[in-house]
Amino acid sequence: MTDKPSHLPERLALLADLNAARYITDGLLTGKEDVPAIALNKVTEPLPHNEARGALLPVRDLVDDAMHVFSADKATAADAWLAPRLHATLRLTRREAADRRFWNYLALGVAPDYVVWRQTTKPKDGGPPRVAASRFRGSADSQAFARLWWAAELFRNGPDYGPVVTACGQQEMFNSALRLSVIDHRPTAQALVTLISRGRVSTTREVNALLKAVNASAATLMYDVMAPDIERDGRPLAQWVEAAEWAPAVPRRGLPEGPDEERAPEESVATLTEHFAELFTGAPVRGKNTDDNESD
């Protein structure tokens, strides 16, 4: 099995797509090879800042803890635990998080063993278990660490990461929700989480049907008019990022706290929760009347 990198610098870095591709070998994707850490770090670029949030060890420690805590469970269970803690450890802005080079480095330079542990699956053609290359170098909804960060960013409710835990407990919220532009509307995201937390939708197929219905309805209804969000103030985020200089390590048991932003308006969330529940009532759920043997 792919092992922890033999060389870990003090700070995180950036790894360009072309350079990352050189190290995504078939041996790595099948968990039979390690990443040549020293060679990889020679082709990285430094972060554009020298702040404490760029330290590598806190991220590596977090990944080690995730693999230890969930070693006896399905690896998918680690998502809901790791997503909010990764987000609170990195303290990125959205502009920084949009840089694929950052996630390339986390996957290949910091924790390739985590990517192999978490993302190895059995191909449908019956071949040997392997990791999709997009888990190391891919889009925000598929890359192993980017998907966790964006799920935490889009589903947190101000400083509260509780909704993130609920959302990340459903793999379809990664597979489909992160691809929808409507999720950037906070009342929409919170209404979806509310329906899951209440048990109104629970299976992968039900979540998929709900998301399709919500996205289709968005073509004719403007959710931001129907259920307005408050105008967001950028100062709490800036202060939260700045506070990384003296912030302790994120808690392993209780949830960390995110930026001290105002939460999504409760009235708007309630309005969309009711609307989405009605949409789901008429949404076709594949295999609804058959045995639902689903896997994550």
Side-chain angles (χ1 to χ4, degrees), residues 88-272:
T89 297
L90 295 174
R91 300 203 181 204
L92 302 173
T93 65
R94 286 194 177 190
R95 176 173 291 184
E96 290 169 333
D99 190 342
R100 287 167 55 113
R101 297 175 299 167
F102 182 83
W103 305 115
N104 290 344
Y105 185 73
L106 253 64
L108 290 162
V110 179
D113 51 327
Y114 168 83
V115 180
V116 171
W117 173 80
R118 168 62 186 87
Q119 300 293 347
T120 295
T121 58
K122 273 191 172 182
K124 293 181 180 179
D125 62 6
R130 63 187 294 118
V131 181
S134 62
R135 301 301 190 181
F136 286 98
R137 181 180 72 109
S139 58
D141 61 286
S142 63
Q143 205 273 353
F145 291 107
R147 66 198 285 271
L148 296 175
W149 190 93
W150 281 104
E153 173 67 9
L154 294 170
F155 289 106
R156 66 180 174 85
N157 195 4
D160 181 12
Y161 284 115
V164 177
V165 175
T166 299
C168 292
Q170 274 287 347
Q171 288 301 303
E172 194 61 24
M173 296 298 275
F174 288 108
N175 299 338
S176 297
L178 293 187
R179 301 175 183 177
L180 305 180
S181 60
V182 293
I183 296 300
D184 198 33
H185 179 237
R186 296 195 307 160
T188 293
Q190 294 306 311
L192 290 170
V193 171
T194 299
L195 290 175
I196 294 173
S197 65
R198 291 178 180 175
R200 183 67 180 84
V201 292
S202 56
T203 68
T204 297
R205 290 175 178 177
E206 288 177 343
V207 173
N208 179 267
L210 173 63
L211 291 171
K212 287 182 178 179
V214 167
N215 194 49
S217 177
T220 55
L221 289 176
M222 298 181 67
Y223 294 152
D224 55 346
V225 174
M226 179 181 180
D229 195 358
I230 60 170
E231 185 174 345
R232 299 178 71 177
D233 183 351
R235 286 175 294 181
L237 175 61
Q239 292 166 354
W240 185 69
V241 169
E242 183 180 341
E245 295 300 314
W246 57 83
V250 297
R252 269 35 177 185
R253 293 190 178 181
L255 287 174
E257 290 190 0
D260 191 22
E261 299 173 334
E262 287 193 54
R263 299 169 186 259
E266 292 183 7
E267 184 177 350
S268 293
V269 175
T271 296
L272 288 182

Side-chain angles (χ1 to χ4, degrees), residues 1-6 23 25 27-28 31-37 112:
M1 183 69 79
T2 297
D3 204 356
K4 177 178 179 178
S6 58
Y23 297 99
T25 64
L28 175 64
K32 297 176 181 178
E33 294 179 0
D34 297 335
V35 175

